Amino acid sequence: MTIQFTAFRWVPSFAQGWVRDLRIRWALEEAGLPYEVILVDGETQNYRDWQPFGQVPAYRDDEVEMFESGAIVLRLAAMSEKLAPRTEAGLARVSTWIFAALNSIEPQAQTLVQLDGFYAGQAWTEGRRPSAQANLDARLTSLSNALGDKDYLEGRFTAGDILMATVLRELEECGALKKFPNLDAYRARCLARRAFAKALEDQLQTFRENEPA
Amino acid sequence: MTIQFTAFRWVPSFAQGWVRDLRIRWALEEAGLPYEVILVDGETQNYRDWQPFGQVPAYRDDEVEMFESGAIVLRLAAMSEKLAPRTEAGLARVSTWIFAALNSIEPQAQTLVQLDGFYAGQAWTEGRRPSAQANLDARLTSLSNALGDKDYLEGRFTAGDILMATVLRELEECGALKKFPNLDAYRARCLARRAFAKALEDQLQTFRENEPA
């Protein structure tokens, strides 16, 4: 099985270490599957025919061609016991947590993070902050209760943790996890895995190698 | 195969017709699969053990127990040719579009819609609007180009269209689709399907039957 996915050749420093091919790299390193990275700039029509939004990652293997980091990680989860149990029930749970990370947590996380980042200093952000904080806290409270004292969402590490940990990682700077010690420890536990460190270093190395003159 | 999913017994009028069990009802009606609806109020600990966020839908069948509307519709897509081609490649494309609807379009759509709805009249909303509109327009431009003159995202109707159409439907009131005639026609084409009308009527009928005295 030849696995290929796309990553950006270079991005500005604020985005380095945060581009979403990181999730695919992490999953592939956990699974121990060989892969090739295709570097792109995202804006050619040729690439848009593969990834309509001009984003990374896009993915192909011998059987499928697809995009969206959640869909790709779910595809990989079906290939490796390292990423999900080999049962219908186990794969369904992993699918559930991948969607929960991307649709029930990430939008609320991004809303708050963008107030301090992309939109920092704009007059409207202070008015928005209380509701953004409350919405995020409500979701994190539910997630914290669901995790309880387990090491991982399903007891064992799965691809669902890859998505959830990369979403919780977005909250490191704003301190939103301080109120939820079990989530903060869970985030740290996931990100301490050797496969994550390798994935992150590989993304950063690409940007170092392709730094514009 | 016994299929069960949860729906709310009643919600206030502004939410009627918009609760996300609609997506599951639509998919099941398209597939022609029999199902049972379990009415819940969402706040019991017993229900939270099944759906940690207290939302609907949660789902179970003979093999799996899960939640998140995207994950559930993807599960159903694997069961019926009416919802996705029977090939790995076809199912991967459906998975891709389900994630694209929920992670690349819906957060931007919700940001704009909430300015006119939930947060209407708050002082900060006018400052937020230009960037929210620009972010949404950028994604809709990409989606419009990807759809082109096709009837459905993959040429034939799939479960990916169920998710994308329910997301685009959120934009009906704010007029954001007027700039994208092919997306607006696509939304209307999807929502004109008999299975959608049945799903919507069934959700509304439940609320009529359980209207508080």
Side-chain angles (χ1 to χ4, degrees):
Chain A
M1 177 79 77
T2 303
I3 290 175
Q4 298 179 313
F5 67 87
T6 60
F8 287 134
R9 190 177 311 279
W10 184 82
V11 297
S13 60
F14 74 87
Q16 294 188 10
W18 298 95
V19 191
R20 291 181 178 189
D21 56 275
L22 187 64
R23 293 165 172 169
I24 314 307
R25 294 177 187 270
W26 186 1
L28 286 163
E29 292 293 336
E30 292 280 358
L33 293 167
Y35 57 92
E36 296 168 16
V37 183
I38 301 170
L39 299 182
V40 297
D41 68 13
E43 288 311 315
T44 66
Q45 185 54 52
N46 201 34
Y47 185 60
R48 291 261 178 175
D49 289 342
W50 184 7
Q51 214 300 359
F53 302 101
Q55 301 170 321
V56 300
Y59 170 95
R60 64 165 76 102
D61 61 34
D62 299 347
E63 291 176 322
V64 311
E65 184 165 300
M66 61 199 303
F67 54 95
E68 291 287 333
S69 60
I72 298 165
V73 172
L74 186 54
R75 164 91 183 151
L76 298 175
M79 292 184 192
S80 171
E81 194 278 338
K82 301 277 179 60
L83 295 173
R86 298 297 83 194
T87 60
E88 282 292 302
L91 278 166
R93 297 297 299 176
V94 169
S95 176
T96 292
W97 286 116
I98 290 174
F99 277 100
L102 295 181
N103 204 232
S104 287
I105 306 289
E106 190 168 48
Q108 280 73 20
Q110 278 292 307
T111 297
L112 192 74
V113 165
Q114 288 170 355
L115 295 178
D116 297 327
F118 202 73
Y119 300 119
Q122 295 195 20
W124 60 270
T125 59
E126 285 312 304
R128 175 59 169 131
R129 186 175 307 276
S131 55
Q133 185 79 58
N135 291 342
L136 177 61
D137 280 358
R139 295 293 169 90
L140 292 179
T141 298
S142 296
L143 183 64
S144 174
N145 290 337
L147 179 65
D149 60 3
K150 297 193 295 289
D151 279 353
Y152 299 105
L153 288 165
E154 290 293 306
R156 57 153 283 187
F157 181 82
T158 74
D161 299 304
I162 291 177
L163 272 290
M164 195 63 81
T166 53
V167 168
L168 296 182
R169 178 174 175 251
E170 299 168 8
L171 298 168
E172 280 173 2
E173 292 271 320
C174 74
L177 295 182
K178 286 195 184 125
K179 280 172 275 186
F180 306 97
N182 70 332
L183 292 184
D184 203 30
Y186 162 73
R187 175 198 57 77
R189 184 180 307 121
C190 292
L191 300 184
R193 295 176 70 88
R194 191 205 56 77
F196 175 78
K198 174 74 161 66
L200 181 60
E201 174 55 24
D202 285 353
Q203 179 180 99
L204 295 174
Q205 177 64 23
T206 299
F207 298 144
R208 281 194 293 268
E209 289 173 359
N210 294 286
E211 179 80 23
Chain B
M1 177 79 75
T2 303
I3 290 175
Q4 298 180 313
F5 67 88
T6 61
F8 287 134
R9 190 177 312 281
W10 185 81
V11 297
S13 60
F14 73 86
Q16 295 189 11
W18 297 94
V19 191
R20 291 181 179 190
D21 56 275
L22 187 64
R23 293 165 173 167
I24 315 307
R25 294 177 187 271
W26 185 2
L28 286 163
E29 292 293 335
E30 292 280 356
L33 292 167
Y35 57 91
E36 297 168 16
V37 182
I38 301 171
L39 299 182
V40 298
D41 68 13
E43 288 311 315
T44 67
Q45 184 55 52
N46 200 35
Y47 185 59
R48 291 260 178 177
D49 289 342
W50 185 8
Q51 213 301 357
F53 302 100
Q55 300 169 323
V56 300
Y59 170 95
R60 65 165 77 101
D61 60 36
D62 300 347
E63 291 177 322
V64 312
E65 184 164 299
M66 62 199 303
F67 54 95
E68 291 288 335
S69 60
I72 298 165
V73 172
L74 186 53
R75 164 90 184 150
L76 299 176
M79 292 184 192
S80 171
E81 193 276 340
K82 301 278 180 61
L83 296 173
R86 299 298 83 194
T87 60
E88 282 293 301
L91 278 165
R93 297 296 298 176
V94 169
S95 176
T96 291
W97 286 117
I98 289 175
F99 277 100
L102 294 181
N103 204 233
S104 287
I105 305 289
E106 189 168 46
Q108 279 73 21
Q110 278 292 307
T111 297
L112 192 74
V113 165
Q114 288 170 356
L115 294 178
D116 296 328
F118 202 72
Y119 300 119
Q122 295 195 20
W124 60 271
T125 59
E126 285 312 304
R128 176 60 170 129
R129 186 175 306 277
S131 55
Q133 185 79 58
N135 292 342
L136 177 61
D137 280 358
R139 294 294 169 90
L140 292 180
T141 298
S142 296
L143 183 64
S144 175
N145 290 336
L147 179 65
D149 60 2
K150 297 194 294 290
D151 278 354
Y152 299 106
L153 289 165
E154 290 294 306
R156 56 152 284 186
F157 181 81
T158 75
D161 299 304
I162 290 177
L163 271 291
M164 195 62 82
T166 54
V167 169
L168 295 182
R169 178 173 174 252
E170 300 168 8
L171 298 169
E172 281 173 2
E173 292 271 322
C174 74
L177 295 182
K178 286 197 184 123
K179 280 172 274 186
F180 306 97
N182 69 332
L183 292 184
D184 203 31
Y186 163 73
R187 176 199 56 77
R189 184 179 306 120
C190 292
L191 300 183
R193 295 176 71 88
R194 191 206 56 78
F196 175 78
K198 174 74 162 67
L200 180 60
E201 174 55 24
D202 285 354
Q203 180 180 99
L204 295 175
Q205 177 64 22
T206 299
F207 298 142
R208 281 193 293 267
E209 289 172 0
N210 293 287
E211 179 81 24

